[in-house]
Amino acid sequence: MRRLLPTAVKAALVGLVLFFVVRSIPLKLADLESFLIHANLQFYSSMVVFALFLMLQAGIWVLIVNAAGEQAVRNGEGAKLPLLNGLRIFIDSQFGKYLPGGFWNYAGRVVLASRAGVPLDAQLAAIVYENILLVSAALCYALILLVSLDIAPALCIALVLAAFVLAYVYYDKSSAIVRGLFMRASRQRWLQRAAGKMTAAFARGSGTGAFRSDAGLSRSRFFGYLFCFLGSHFIMGIAFWMLTNSFGRGSIGLLYAAGTFATSWLLGLFSPLPGGLGVREGFLVYFLSLKLGAETALYISVIARLWNMMAEAVFWAIARAVSHMTGRVKTYEKP
């Protein structure tokens, strides 16, 4: 039973994820097969570019985790997360976002990264920083879109730039306050017990339930990673721009495509369904219909969900293939 139980649990999780993934695509199987057969090269090229965006996002997460746990690693209280291993952890857990609850991808990261010896406090800090940086980067592109559509006044751009300047100037003070709040919350007994059970389950895991004051990012690293996310979001915009133009039913600008996808992703965070289902597609239809028409926008919004999932599958396959080849090379190098 001990040998079969982990395999059975993994199979059940894969089956559950596939079930909700299939339910998230409002198309019949025959329609999907017909579309994939007749899709042009630009569609599949856009999917590869979007997979590259996901890899960049995963790579930035690895950098944040290692930066947040740098002091713990120096003290011998944890291990640094290798890039390839981090990419695999990111994409292996990414499919958990399609499960109800909206947090299973983060829970999967914690489980897998703890097995790799990454301190728990560094992981929790990385989750907070990653979401703040992702939302900030997406908000910049969303604001450009809203200003271009005269939905928001141009003054908003100046206000956001002023907010970034203030955040840069007062970063040390504000981050110290935030870390203090986390440290105060981590002293709660119920949280310490939960974290203790989680870390005790992994022989190689390290870290405690208390949030360390050094599990954070310096000002230069924080804004450096913000620019990295801005760059990765631009790659995402290129991919979505290629996707919309691959249908041959009109075209939109590159910045408009980046802003549309970023804004829909932001608003999809408010969806109670897995992966922002429904809300994200609804706003994609709204913004795309302003340029391409309602029928084309609806068609693209549905295909975009399939396109997103296929890009994640490409990322997963590449990470697995590279990991397998790396493992074989190490085996051959042994005396």
Side-chain angles (χ1 to χ4, degrees):
M1 288 295 294
R2 290 181 178 178
R3 293 179 179 178
L4 294 177
L5 185 60
T7 303
V9 171
K10 290 180 181 179
L13 286 175
V14 170
L16 196 61
V17 169
L18 289 176
F19 171 75
F20 283 104
V21 164
V22 172
R23 288 195 61 182
S24 298
I25 306 177
L27 286 177
K28 295 181 180 180
L29 183 60
D31 296 330
L32 293 179
E33 292 177 354
S34 176
F35 170 79
L36 294 176
I37 291 174
H38 296 94
N40 57 25
L41 180 61
Q42 188 175 6
F43 171 81
Y44 288 104
S45 299
S46 69
M47 185 180 65
V48 174
V49 175
F50 192 76
L52 174 62
F53 154 73
L54 292 173
M55 293 178 187
L56 291 173
Q57 184 175 330
I60 299 170
W61 171 74
V62 174
L63 293 175
I64 295 174
V65 169
N66 288 332
E70 189 175 51
Q71 189 60 44
V73 173
R74 290 177 182 175
N75 297 336
E77 299 174 357
K80 185 177 180 180
L81 185 61
L83 178 60
L84 180 57
N85 195 13
L87 294 179
R88 285 188 54 186
I89 289 173
F90 184 94
I91 192 58
D92 285 347
S93 59
Q94 183 74 358
F95 296 102
K97 71 180 183 181
Y98 296 109
L99 297 176
F103 65 91
W104 294 108
N105 54 327
Y106 296 111
R109 284 193 213 173
V110 171
V111 170
L112 297 175
S114 296
R115 287 180 178 176
V118 180
L120 181 61
D121 44 19
Q123 298 182 54
L124 297 178
I127 290 174
V128 175
Y129 280 114
E130 179 194 17
N131 281 277
I132 292 175
L133 292 167
L134 273 173
V135 170
S136 299
L139 186 61
C140 292
Y141 287 98
L143 188 59
I144 294 174
L145 173 68
L146 297 179
V147 170
S148 67
L149 294 174
D150 294 328
I151 297 176
L155 180 62
C156 291
I157 295 180
L159 293 176
V160 169
L161 291 175
F164 279 130
V165 171
L166 290 175
Y168 183 84
V169 173
Y170 295 101
Y171 178 80
D172 292 334
K173 292 183 179 179
S174 58
S175 61
I177 294 174
V178 173
R179 282 198 293 266
L181 293 175
F182 272 100
M183 292 180 66
R184 185 177 301 177
S186 67
R187 296 191 184 100
Q188 300 295 322
R189 293 183 179 180
W190 65 270
L191 184 60
Q192 289 184 354
R193 286 197 297 267
K197 290 180 180 179
M198 181 176 292
T199 54
F202 313 113
R204 297 178 60 189
S206 60
T208 63
F211 187 86
R212 298 168 55 102
S213 60
D214 55 20
L217 298 179
S218 64
R219 175 166 46 192
S220 59
R221 280 180 169 172
F222 180 89
F223 285 93
Y225 296 144
L226 175 60
F227 281 110
C228 289
F229 274 120
L230 287 170
S232 68
H233 271 64
F234 189 71
I235 300 296
M236 173 269 295
I238 294 175
F240 188 66
W241 173 72
M242 294 173 62
L243 169 69
T244 56
N245 294 341
S246 67
F247 293 94
R249 301 183 181 183
S251 60
I252 60 176
L254 179 56
L255 286 179
Y256 191 89
T260 296
F261 200 85
T263 306
S264 301
W265 176 82
L266 274 176
L267 297 172
L269 297 176
F270 298 98
S271 173
L273 298 177
L277 182 64
V279 175
R280 193 162 297 169
E281 282 76 12
F283 281 100
L284 277 179
V285 171
Y286 172 74
F287 290 117
L288 291 176
S289 64
L290 299 177
K291 299 290 185 179
L292 303 176
E295 183 180 354
T296 301
L298 179 61
Y299 188 72
I300 292 176
S301 68
V302 174
I303 296 300
R305 175 66 63 170
L306 172 65
W307 172 76
N308 195 327
M309 296 174 180
M310 292 175 63
E312 291 172 342
V314 169
F315 180 7
W316 180 86
I318 293 175
R320 284 287 174 178
V322 173
S323 180
H324 178 70
M325 290 187 294
T326 304
R328 292 184 63 180
V329 169
K330 289 182 179 179
T331 302
Y332 293 144
E333 289 178 350
K334 288 183 179 180

